[in-house]
Amino acid sequence: SGLLVRDDLAVWLLALLLGAAQVERAVGWRWTAVLLAAVHAGATVLSQALLAARVAAGLAPSDLLDQIDVGPSYLAVAGLAAAVLVAPTRARRALPAAALLVGLPELFEGLGRADLAATGHVAALGLGLVGGGLLRRQVGSGRPSYGASSARP
């Protein structure tokens, strides 16, 4: 579902590449893939669980459970968030940070009414920051990176 999207595919893929490239440079392709897959799954589970709880509590109509929630946005948000923490230089952290700041209004649109995509974006941002922090700690410890020829602090 990460590549199926109705609109703005080029923007989302550019954001994904921007974040993922910085993370990959710091920790290697395997850790980048693990991070993105884990965050995508985690954000999906969290946003769907919140929606299911809202429906069960009578706070949302049950037809919302049939929504299709597809696209690369959770991956892009996770990559950008992690890149802010693990990119090797301040300049390389600035671009993902700026992309997140510019995109925040759209990413969080509907959050007040617990919109499925908005709650998923919040989860992806939080999980991406947590994952980025864990990966940064690994790189800073001098341990060899998983999938890169050398860790790049």
Side-chain angles (χ1 to χ4, degrees), residues 12 39 42-44 46-47 50 69 73-74 77-78 81 100 103-112 114-130:
W12 285 119
V39 170
T44 300
L46 289 171
S47 62
L50 177 62
D69 183 27
S73 62
Y74 297 176
V77 170
L100 278 172
L104 283 180
E106 181 179 334
L107 293 174
F108 294 168
E109 185 178 322
L111 189 57
D115 176 75
L116 182 64
T119 57
H121 292 141
V122 169
L125 179 64
L127 292 170
L129 289 170
V130 168

Side-chain angles (χ1 to χ4, degrees), residues 43-129:
T44 300
V45 167
L46 289 171
S47 62
Q48 293 290 341
L50 177 62
L51 176 60
R54 290 181 59 236
V55 169
L59 300 173
S62 63
D63 64 331
L64 289 181
L65 295 172
D66 296 327
Q67 295 184 78
I68 296 175
D69 183 27
V70 295
S73 62
Y74 297 176
L75 296 170
V77 170
L80 291 170
V84 168
L85 296 176
V86 302
T89 66
R90 205 174 268 165
R92 289 193 173 161
R93 290 187 296 270
L95 194 54
L100 278 172
L101 289 174
V102 167
L104 283 180
E106 181 179 334
L107 293 174
F108 294 168
E109 185 178 322
L111 189 57
R113 61 182 188 283
D115 176 75
L116 182 64
T119 57
H121 292 141
V122 169
L125 179 64
L127 292 170
L129 289 170

